[in-house]
Structures are given as structure tokens and as C-alpha cells.
Amino acid sequence: LGSNHDRITGKRDELSVSIYERMEGHGRHQKMMTRAVIGPIKTDLEFTLQKENFSSRFAKIFGWNDTELGDHEFNEKFHLRSKQEDKIRLLFDQNLINQIKELESDFNGHLQLDNFKMVYVYQDKLQYEAMIKSFERVLDLMFTISDRIKQLKLPSQSY
């Protein structure tokens, strides 16, 4: 495990892990964000997952469509987007869906898989123990998703 100011790097299994904070936005709208990045994840699968909110609901008016899964409660609480809906439905089985629903209060940002890496952007600086614990639980979810991708053999055609 290495550290460079506000960046922590290391390995877990064959995955590189990097956690860092940085300011995003401009002027009065700047905000500290904490990111966790793991990879490489050898798949061409891409998705974005975030809690349903005002902007994601409003975006549906402009044609943004969720990838609907067979769980109404999940579909109401989370916004999942992917162009690879068949693979997403394989990946997001009921066990994974239940694990994500249990993390609803911990989920304060968005999770994205693309370009062979998974990134979780936590919309705050990790200042308190409860925030750190929430972040750790989502990081564990990221490794669970990565393991499931390997188990299902959803490899990339181009990796």
C-alpha cells in the first residue's frame, strides 16, 4: 500500500486500487470528491449506477432510459444505465441486487464501469468514521462486481 499526499494506491488480488480526493467544479460550485478506482477489469461491459434522484428522473424526459431489472424496489431506488442490457441482467442477479439495496444509505455518488476500470465517485470528502465505513462497503461491492464478472466470463473482445 503506497500513499502520495491524498492518494492511496495498492493491489488486491490482480487489481490495482487507487483512492484519492480532488476538487471538482468551478468557483462557488467547487466540491471535494473522493474516488476509488480499481482495474484492470477485463471486460467490455460498461454501466453506470447511482441512486435515483431528481436529475436522473428528470433526464428520463430527455430519453435517458434505465436498464430495468426484475426488482421493482431496486428500479425505484437506483438508476442503472448500460447499452449491454443482456450482460447487465446476467451480472445483476438477485443476490447482487439485494447487496446493492442494503447499501442504499452508503451510496453517495455514482459507480461506473468502462475502459477496463471501475470508478466510484463519492460526493464528499471522507471526514468522519461513518463516511469512511460507507465508502469501504461500496469499495467491497466493487470487488464483488469484479469477481462476478470473472465468474460469468464476461471478458472483453478487445482487452
Side-chain angles (χ1 to χ4, degrees), residues 45-56:
L45 183 63
E46 296 181 352
F47 70 83
T48 301
L49 175 68
Q50 65 187 51
K51 281 172 57 171
E52 194 73 61
N53 58 36
F54 172 77
S55 61
S56 62

Side-chain angles (χ1 to χ4, degrees), residues 88-151:
I88 287 296
R89 286 190 180 91
L90 282 174
L91 177 63
F92 284 79
D93 68 350
Q94 195 59 51
N95 288 332
L96 184 58
I97 289 169
N98 290 341
Q99 185 177 354
I100 294 168
K101 288 190 312 188
E102 289 173 11
L103 294 176
E104 180 186 6
S105 63
D106 296 317
F107 217 87
N108 184 23
H110 68 274
L111 180 64
Q112 185 169 356
L113 172 64
D114 69 356
N115 295 319
F116 309 111
K117 67 181 182 268
M118 195 176 326
V119 179
Y120 176 57
V121 180
Y122 183 82
Q123 299 177 354
D124 209 341
K125 182 177 179 142
L126 298 177
Q127 301 178 59
Y128 306 106
E129 185 66 25
M131 295 170 133
I132 294 168
K133 292 289 185 196
S134 290
F135 190 85
E136 287 174 341
R137 286 188 285 271
V138 175
L139 186 59
D140 285 341
L141 171 68
M142 293 169 71
F143 287 108
T144 298
I145 292 171
S146 173
D147 289 344
R148 185 142 171 78
I149 288 168
K150 282 191 293 188
Q151 290 170 356

Side-chain angles (χ1 to χ4, degrees), residues 15-49:
L15 298 172
S16 295
V17 181
S18 180
I19 300 171
Y20 59 94
E21 296 176 334
R22 75 174 189 203
M23 293 297 287
E24 295 187 11
H26 301 284
R28 295 183 298 149
H29 303 288
Q30 277 192 327
K31 185 171 185 175
M32 182 64 74
M33 302 288 202
T34 305
R35 291 177 179 260
V37 181
I38 66 171
I41 298 174
K42 299 174 183 175
T43 184
D44 60 1
L45 183 63
E46 296 181 352
F47 70 83
T48 301
L49 175 68

